[in-house]
Amino acid sequence: MRTGAGALDARYVYHAVVIDYELQKGTAAIDVAEVVRNVVGMAVADGVRSVALPLFGAGVGGLSVEISLATILEALETAAAGVPSPLSVEIVVRDVEEFQQAAAVFQEYEGREARQAEEDRLAEEAVRKLLEG
């Protein structure tokens, strides 16, 4: 859902729910991915050029900073395919500890192409071993 930003230095606030309190279950990474793709889609439709995203599901939702951020980055890669113009994305963290954890994820994160190349290499290696033995 989108609302006006009130006194914030922004045009809109996009609201997203990633935890189901009624079922008393935590946040699933798949829900975070869907929310990120939906927010990007709404932002693009609204002509927004930059968004700030929190670490959805981290904290009360039960996801670690690492899983939340990796999921967000993967969802952004997926959503980027449908974005006709650049969209600046800022990840917002709560404190220094979250920042340090997020920085480590950014440093280790490999894009989809690198992950696919590694999966292909491992698959070729497995097939080669099967054929040899």
Side-chain angles (χ1 to χ4, degrees):
M1 173 171 65
R2 178 191 76 196
T3 64
L8 295 174
D9 187 20
R11 281 195 295 174
Y12 307 113
V13 173
Y14 298 96
H15 303 269
V17 177
V18 294
I19 189 168
D20 189 336
Y21 287 105
E22 289 182 19
L23 295 178
Q24 296 181 347
K25 68 175 189 168
T27 302
I30 193 165
D31 296 332
V32 171
E34 182 177 357
V35 161
V36 170
R37 289 189 303 268
N38 289 340
V39 166
V40 168
M42 286 187 283
V44 168
D46 289 338
V48 172
R49 292 187 304 241
S50 66
V51 296
L53 301 175
L55 292 172
F56 292 112
V60 175
L63 293 180
S64 67
V65 168
E66 293 81 6
I67 290 176
S68 175
L69 183 53
T71 302
I72 290 168
L73 294 174
E74 289 173 13
L76 288 170
E77 279 186 281
T78 300
V83 176
S85 59
L87 178 66
S88 174
V89 178
E90 186 172 329
I91 304 297
V92 181
V93 297
R94 291 182 297 190
D95 54 34
V96 172
E97 183 180 346
E98 261 193 10
F99 174 81
Q100 291 169 339
Q101 291 170 321
V105 172
F106 272 115
Q107 288 176 343
E108 294 175 11
Y109 187 78
E110 297 179 328
R112 177 174 287 135
E113 290 178 13
R115 290 191 312 274
Q116 185 63 53
E118 178 62 10
E119 288 174 13
D120 292 347
R121 185 191 68 74
L122 291 171
E124 287 176 15
E125 184 178 312
V127 169
R128 189 173 42 253
K129 286 181 180 179
L130 283 171
L131 293 173
E132 291 173 355

